[in-house]
Amino acid sequence: MDIEAARAERPWEGKGHDRLVLMEDIGRFALFDGASQAMASDIAAATFREQHAGVDEFSLPFLNDVFALIQQNILRFGDNLPERYQHLKGQISTTGTAVGIRTLPNNHNSSVLEYVHAGDSSLWMFDHDSDILRKLTRDEIIGNSPDNCLPNTRNWLGALGHRLEQRLGFPLKTGRATLALFSDGVSSYETQEGSLTKEKLEEILRSTDNTPGSKATQIIQNSSIKDDASVIVVEVEQ
């Protein structure tokens, strides 16, 4: 299995809360978009890296367990805020989406796609064999729109109401797939002014001529939402 990944970012003035983690050698990738300040996304990214330090592709931690530890670390930090940050109490939280491509130890020609998710960042997969684009995540935020949004929920890491859900994933049966993981600053709702549309995303990911870096850059260029925008594009071939 071959994995190639790249990132692109557009920080917004006065924000800069997005944190990206790319671990191409073990097939693990994550994006965190902190609320209020970057403190929660910093904790999340550091915890994600620490939990993957020194592991190989056959001893990877469960992504759900990593997110459970991130939740604990953010809540612990929020309970012991320095005096100068007391006005932010209860606001130290972050969205988070992580994806992993795991090769099965008994079959090197078979892989599993795993992911975990909290909030309104997005994970998409374009299957080049079937020519189908799928959104794998649902937006877990307050509201009833779009159709894939969970109503009356703010399911963010660090939020007291966060529900930890395991996305065990599925066999990656396609010979080639392109994954796109991006923050809500790229596209949360397609109807939002400046959002990247599904049609444009499909056009970018379908391309067999462009590199992951070029695709990530194009995704950013096709979004003009007034917010941080961050993208990870992962090409998987087996």
Side-chain angles (χ1 to χ4, degrees), residues 60-182:
L60 292 167
F62 287 108
L63 286 171
N64 198 54
D65 292 341
V66 177
F67 266 41
L69 184 58
I70 289 171
Q71 171 76 350
Q72 293 173 17
N73 288 348
I74 295 175
L75 288 177
R76 188 178 298 117
F77 179 84
D79 287 339
N80 297 278
L81 281 175
E83 185 63 35
R84 66 182 181 278
Y85 294 130
Q86 282 298 313
H87 65 289
L88 297 173
K89 194 170 182 63
Q91 302 177 47
I92 309 300
S93 59
T94 182
T95 65
T97 303
V99 62
I101 303 98
R102 185 193 297 263
T103 301
L104 299 179
N106 59 344
N107 186 348
H108 289 249
N109 295 317
S110 182
S111 303
V112 173
L113 181 72
E114 308 165 283
Y115 58 101
V116 289
H117 172 70
D120 57 359
S121 51
S122 301
L123 175 61
W124 297 74
M125 183 181 80
F126 184 79
D127 182 334
H128 290 267
D129 291 353
S130 64
D131 198 42
I132 293 175
L133 177 67
R134 295 171 56 194
K135 186 176 183 181
L136 303 181
T137 52
R138 295 192 299 178
D139 297 315
E140 298 179 341
I141 56 174
I142 296 172
N144 297 296
S145 178
D147 291 340
N148 70 342
C149 180
L150 295 180
N152 304 317
T153 302
R154 187 181 176 88
N155 195 19
W156 289 15
L157 293 163
L160 291 175
H162 174 61
R163 306 180 318 278
L164 195 60
E165 298 179 0
Q166 176 69 55
R167 313 298 172 103
L168 291 173
F170 50 86
L172 193 60
K173 296 180 179 179
T174 181
R176 184 182 177 203
T178 303
L179 304 171
L181 169 56
F182 47 79

Side-chain angles (χ1 to χ4, degrees), residues 158-222:
L160 291 175
H162 174 61
R163 306 180 318 278
L164 195 60
E165 298 179 0
Q166 176 69 55
R167 313 298 172 103
L168 291 173
F170 50 86
L172 193 60
K173 296 180 179 179
T174 181
R176 184 182 177 203
T178 303
L179 304 171
L181 169 56
F182 47 79
S183 65
D184 66 329
V186 173
S187 175
S188 183
Y189 312 108
E190 285 186 52
T191 55
Q192 181 179 357
E193 183 179 356
S195 273
L196 173 75
T197 64
K198 181 180 179 181
E199 291 73 22
K200 189 62 182 180
L201 176 63
E202 185 172 344
E203 176 188 327
I204 293 169
L205 298 185
R206 179 183 283 115
S207 170
T208 56
D209 297 327
N210 294 324
T211 64
S214 174
K215 291 180 181 181
T217 299
Q218 288 179 55
I219 288 172
I220 291 286
Q221 289 173 342
N222 280 275

